[in-house]
Amino acid sequence: MMYDVLVVGAGFFGSIFAHQATKEGLSCAVIDKRSHIGGNCYTRNVRGIHVHEYGPHIFHTNSKKIWDFVNRFANFRQFTYSPVANYKDELYSLPFNMWTFHQLWGVTSPAEAMQKIEETRVKCDAPKTLEEYALSELGKDVYEKLIRGYTKKQWRKDPKDLPSFIIKRLPFRLTYDANYYHDKYCGIPDGGYTQIFEKLLQDIEVKLNTDFFENREYWEKSAKTIVYTGPIDAYFDYVYGELDYRTLEFKHVETEVENIQGVPVINYTSEDVPWTRTIEHKHFEKVKTDHTVLTYEKPVEWSKEKTPYYPINDDHNNSILAEYNKEVKKLSNVIFGGRLAKYQYYDMDQIVGSALVASKKFLANRSI
């Protein structure tokens, strides 16, 4: 069958694009090499607990348009994300705030906290690396207990060898505010994320366990337009080299106890613990059960046979990406979207917004 649109990947970008195109009467098919829809946002129901299979996903945005759109497909409950850091069994509030500094030094005022930070700072006029930036902005105590080990595990590189922009994403506040996100809207869908994709893809032909590259010639001939959400380097058969990604392993453990850690996420910041964080999923939706599911998240060495999660936008990878983007511009019937196809670290709301914009542009051009 010939489709108007073939979507490769059933995550947010692909599912929204297919949904919007189908609403306008176009014939669409969606394929995904995984056994489920939803991409990395897939949640699995384990006896009433919606397990975030690929790590915690908290939807946050300042856009009412995007918030209203996702709430058409699920009821999002308000959620405050306040993870806990565990350093050798010492517990600290995250993100960095006055509670953190009180736990570190016993200080109770912003002035006292700044004095301690100033005392432990390692001054650097033009910090380029993550280590230089963290030491110059937050001081040695914060860096050694809450940044160095966690970052080394997370990126599998020494912070001395990582760019400073990575840590600039982390909030730093001199208030007793432990809310990670300050977006106007922030929530978790009651009933998990998978329901959103089920509704988006309702009445659309979906083929799972289907790898685009295993039968590429067939799929390329099956549609007038292809929406591609997989890794950009794979699409071009790695002709300019392989891009690097951070990849993870998840170990899900179901236990017949009511509550293990009392908080959705604990970050383990010392190097002697192999995983970076543990996730107790029931606390996202505050469900009451006699059992729980705890997930251990562990970064592992990247290879293209593994699942890509986070792009590594350093100079080396960005130079490779620039070559692939030149090839993208030569294609008139392929639309690239999502974190992997763009090789950018996008939050969920950014993916939703870009899918709505891309589908609107595509549909408008068809009507000209």
Side-chain angles (χ1 to χ4, degrees):
M1 178 178 174
M2 186 71 175
Y3 304 97
D4 292 314
V5 179
L6 172 72
V7 176
V8 182
F12 259 125
F13 190 95
S15 298
I16 290 172
F17 197 105
H19 176 80
Q20 298 297 94
T22 302
K23 280 203 313 180
E24 296 301 315
L26 275 62
S27 59
C28 295
V30 177
I31 63 173
D32 199 296
K33 67 179 182 180
R34 288 176 172 172
S35 61
H36 58 75
I37 58 176
N40 291 344
C41 294
Y42 169 71
T43 48
R44 176 171 52 94
N45 191 332
V46 179
R47 295 161 56 198
I49 298 172
H50 297 100
V51 174
H52 295 222
E53 194 79 0
Y54 304 99
H57 286 80
I58 296 93
F59 198 97
H60 56 99
T61 184
N62 284 312
S63 168
K64 186 176 188 303
K65 179 181 177 181
I66 291 173
W67 183 249
D68 288 345
F69 179 82
V70 296
N71 272 272
R72 286 163 48 189
F73 305 96
N75 176 45
F76 279 73
R77 72 158 61 226
Q78 193 67 27
F79 180 78
T80 299
Y81 185 45
S82 300
V84 171
N86 183 317
Y87 176 79
K88 299 183 182 297
D89 292 330
E90 298 174 5
L91 300 182
Y92 298 94
S93 173
L94 292 177
F96 307 132
N97 67 89
M98 280 301 301
W99 288 114
T100 319
F101 306 136
H102 174 71
Q103 291 151 356
L104 273 169
W105 302 306
V107 299
T108 57
S109 71
E112 290 175 308
M114 282 307 302
Q115 182 180 343
K116 294 299 292 187
I117 290 172
E118 192 64 37
E119 289 173 2
T120 61
R121 269 182 175 157
V122 178
K123 293 184 179 180
C124 180
D125 292 334
K128 294 181 179 179
T129 70
L130 188 153
E131 180 176 89
E132 288 174 343
Y133 182 85
L135 286 171
S136 64
E137 289 293 315
L138 293 167
K140 189 174 181 180
D141 290 352
V142 175
Y143 176 71
E144 289 295 334
K145 287 194 171 185
L146 301 177
I147 296 174
R148 189 177 70 85
Y150 185 86
T151 302
K152 193 171 182 180
K153 289 188 294 184
Q154 186 180 43
W155 291 91
R156 297 180 63 84
K157 289 184 178 181
D158 195 289
K160 295 177 182 177
D161 302 321
L162 290 168
S164 62
F165 74 82
I166 291 173
I167 198 171
K168 291 179 182 180
R169 290 175 57 92
L170 298 180
F172 163 49
R173 306 184 187 114
L174 289 171
T175 61
Y176 288 92
D177 179 3
N179 187 357
Y180 201 96
Y181 302 115
H182 269 187
D183 301 73
K184 187 174 182 180
Y185 308 99
C186 184
I188 296 281
D190 276 323
Y193 281 93
T194 301
Q195 60 178 318
I196 298 173
F197 299 93
E198 290 171 344
K199 293 171 185 174
L200 283 168
L201 297 172
Q202 189 175 3
D203 301 323
I204 296 175
E205 184 177 349
V206 178
K207 295 181 181 292
L208 301 176
N209 301 302
T210 302
D211 190 333
F212 172 77
F213 295 109
E214 288 183 357
N215 204 355
R216 179 170 183 162
E217 185 177 353
Y218 168 80
W219 290 115
E220 286 181 330
K221 291 180 178 178
S222 70
K224 300 170 187 175
T225 299
I226 293 174
V227 176
Y228 177 77
T229 68
I232 187 172
D233 53 349
Y235 185 88
F236 294 105
D237 199 24
Y238 309 101
V239 64
Y240 297 113
E242 295 179 23
L243 292 166
D244 296 319
Y245 297 85
R246 277 207 304 118
T247 189
L248 305 164
E249 285 183 354
F250 298 95
K251 181 182 178 182
H252 307 290
V253 179
E254 185 178 356
T255 307
E256 298 302 317
V257 298
E258 184 179 348
N259 179 14
I260 290 179
Q261 61 185 33
V263 66
V265 177
I266 295 180
N267 290 359
Y268 288 82
T269 60
S270 61
E271 288 185 66
D272 57 343
V273 178
W275 49 86
T276 48
R277 58 184 176 179
T278 54
I279 304 111
E280 191 168 9
H281 304 268
K282 68 186 303 178
H283 298 304
F284 288 122
E285 297 176 61
K286 297 180 172 61
V287 296
K288 294 183 179 181
T289 62
D290 293 331
H291 66 287
T292 192
V293 179
L294 192 70
T295 296
Y296 297 83
E297 182 179 308
K298 179 183 176 183
V300 293
E301 186 175 354
W302 164 250
S303 72
K304 66 181 180 180
E305 288 72 36
K306 293 189 169 68
T307 302
Y309 290 100
Y310 302 95
I312 301 176
N313 292 108
D314 57 15
D315 291 342
H316 168 72
N317 285 291
N318 285 340
S319 65
I320 296 174
L321 176 64
E323 297 303 314
Y324 286 124
N325 281 333
K326 291 177 185 177
E327 298 298 323
V328 169
K329 292 178 180 178
K330 298 175 185 178
L331 301 174
S332 59
N333 68 325
V334 184
I335 296 169
F336 288 72
R339 183 182 286 188
L340 302 183
K342 293 291 189 179
Y343 197 71
Q344 296 294 323
Y345 188 104
Y346 292 132
D347 289 325
M348 285 184 287
D349 68 318
Q350 294 174 301
I351 299 293
V352 172
S354 64
L356 291 172
V357 169
S359 57
K360 183 178 180 179
K361 181 180 178 181
F362 167 72
L363 293 166
N365 288 338
R366 279 183 58 89
S367 62
I368 295 175

